[in-house]
Structure formats: C-alpha cells, structure tokens
Amino acid sequence: MSSEADVKAVVGLRGHGKSSHVIRMTSETPRVLYYDSLGDDYSEGIVCRDRAVLESFWRRTYQHRFRISYKPVDPMADLARICELAYECGDMTLVIDEIHLYFRGAFCPTELTKIITAGRHAGVELIGVTQAPRKLGELLRSQAAVWDVFAIREPAHAKYVAERCVGMDISQILSLRKYEYLHFEDGAECYWRCTDDLDSGQTRKEALPYETDAPTPATAPDSRDDAPVGRTVGSPSADGDSPVPPA
C-alpha cells in the first residue's frame, strides 16, 4: 500500500451493486477491514460482532495479512476505536459502510477526521460507502479524489454529486441501472461509465467526455493537512452535543 493512500467515495442506492463492487475493489488488498455499520453487507474473511474479540484477534494478526468484517452492535460507539486501530496498524484499507451516519453537517468525529486528513501518512486507504451522498460531511466530500457513482433516483442527490464531480452529466447519473456506475477521478481527462459483470469478474468501461459548459476538473490543491491531526472539524449542530446522530 502506498503511503499516499487515497480517500474514495462509493455512492448510490442500496441493492444496486455497491457492496459487491467494493469487495471486488479490495479483492487483492492484503490488509482490509470492513466496518459494516448496519451489519448486513459484508461477510468477508473473519467476521466479528464483539469489539473485544476483534481487538484480541487484531493484536495477533495486525502485522500480517488480514481480511476482517466487523459488524458492530453499537456502530456509533465503536467507530472511534476502529479508526484508532487502523491508523496504528497502517498500510491497510478501511471500508466504512453507510459512512454518512457519522457526520452532522461540517462536524466529523475526531478519529475519523484523522483518517481522512492524515491517514495517507500511515498508508491507510479509506473507502467511504453511502446511499445518501448529500449527507456526507464536507471534509470527506473535499478529500475524496475518486468517486464511483451508482444509481441515484433523487434529483437533489444526483445534483450534489454532479456538482462535486465537475463535468459529470447528471442525466448519466439518473439513467444508471443495477451494477452500472460512473467512475470519476480528480484531474482525469474524462470519466467512465462502467458495468460490473459478476459472472465473468470483468468490468466494461466506456469513456465519457465532460459536459462542455463545465470546466475540466483539475487536481485540487492538497488541503488535507488544513485540519489539525486528531482534531474535530466543525462543530455539532445546535440540537445536541453528540458527534453523530443517535442510533
């Protein structure tokens, strides 16, 4: 794993292929932990439901290859410790399913902030998966350099993604079918319409030009160090002091 590990976003409706796509993305990754927030999307490798059991297993294996699916009983409470373990481990991929659950506007929990802004220094690749892209925190939206966009039917969510992935045609987003997605990378000369074929294990790709009335996306200045490491970005909303919504 490169020390310049990426932050990636995988967004779109449930039941349209996001989880199977993420599993394929990480199939050759030697060290990966899937944080299965709702407990029903990932069962790769060793499956744990108890944090004490996970930490015991982790202490024995974290220096070697591993593939762990963690299904937390209390995802809000356990996320901080999982982010700490990932950063301490380094050179790994952390997949967080339904990552929008852990943001409230601009507010991002301290430990997740560290993964987003400084995880690359430890070689931690973050893949954030969500069915609600408009609820992604501003920090993740700004730092995710790679976006895989699956079917979205709500125009407001599609518009949000198209505004972030500059030049992406919103009609392409709204027309996606199951297992189809748009692949966007900051600074690339085009974006791609892709189809995952689960039977063959292959992906068909078609290059698409950016909309002519939109500027070609340029690589954004590296602002990932703007937020102090280990500090919370933003502030909680006025309706409560909790960093995340109640379960």
Side-chain angles (χ1 to χ4, degrees):
M1 183 79 61
S2 167
S3 61
E4 291 296 314
D6 287 325
V7 176
K8 301 175 180 178
V10 179
V11 306
L13 291 172
R14 288 186 66 83
H16 279 71
K18 297 194 306 298
S19 298
S20 60
H21 176 66
V22 169
I23 290 169
R24 291 184 62 193
M25 286 172 65
T26 55
S27 62
E28 302 299 323
T29 304
R31 296 149 62 86
V32 56
L33 189 152
Y34 305 92
Y35 193 78
D36 192 357
S37 297
L38 301 183
D40 56 6
D41 285 309
Y42 298 92
S43 296
E44 302 303 297
I46 300 299
V47 177
C48 295
R49 293 179 171 82
D50 182 272
R51 200 178 81 188
V53 173
L54 171 65
E55 292 202 41
S56 175
F57 178 79
W58 187 277
R59 284 192 292 271
R60 299 194 304 271
T61 63
Y62 78 94
Q63 293 180 321
H64 309 289
R65 298 170 66 96
F66 58 81
R67 185 169 300 272
I68 304 171
S69 297
Y70 182 50
K71 301 174 180 290
V73 174
D74 188 344
M76 304 297 179
D78 287 357
L79 180 71
R81 182 55 181 155
I82 296 303
C83 289
E84 289 175 346
L85 290 172
Y87 193 87
E88 292 167 6
C89 177
D91 294 323
M92 62 166 289
T93 293
L94 175 62
V95 176
I96 301 180
D97 193 46
E98 304 298 351
I99 197 170
H100 66 276
L101 296 174
Y102 308 106
F103 293 94
R104 181 176 291 173
F107 181 77
C108 178
T110 301
E111 296 79 8
L112 181 54
T113 293
K114 187 173 183 178
I115 292 292
I116 295 171
T117 62
R120 73 194 192 283
H121 297 308
V124 178
E125 175 189 54
L126 173 66
I127 302 177
V129 186
T130 182
Q131 58 181 311
R134 287 185 71 196
K135 294 184 179 180
L136 285 177
E138 295 172 10
L139 183 65
L140 182 62
R141 170 186 159 119
S142 68
Q143 301 310 317
V146 178
W147 291 70
D148 285 345
V149 181
F150 284 76
I152 296 174
R153 298 292 179 254
E154 170 55 51
H157 282 289
K159 181 174 183 290
Y160 178 91
V161 172
E163 288 176 350
R164 168 57 184 86
C165 301
V166 179
M168 184 178 285
D169 185 345
I170 192 170
S171 67
Q172 289 281 350
I173 301 174
L174 294 170
S175 68
L176 290 167
R177 294 170 295 183
K178 191 171 185 177
Y179 301 123
E180 291 184 336
Y181 62 95
L182 302 177
H183 178 81
F184 175 93
E185 299 180 16
D186 282 340
E189 295 181 354
C190 63
Y191 65 108
W192 295 265
R193 185 168 181 137
C194 308
T195 304
D196 283 343
D197 187 328
L198 301 187
D199 293 330
S200 68
Q202 302 298 311
T203 299
R204 298 190 299 273
K205 300 179 181 180
E206 175 192 359
L208 298 175
Y210 294 117
E211 287 193 286
T212 55
D213 59 348
T216 300
T219 302
D222 191 348
S223 60
R224 288 176 286 189
D225 290 321
D226 291 348
V229 173
R231 293 286 302 280
T232 299
V233 175
S235 57
S237 62
D239 61 345
D241 295 327
S242 172
V244 292

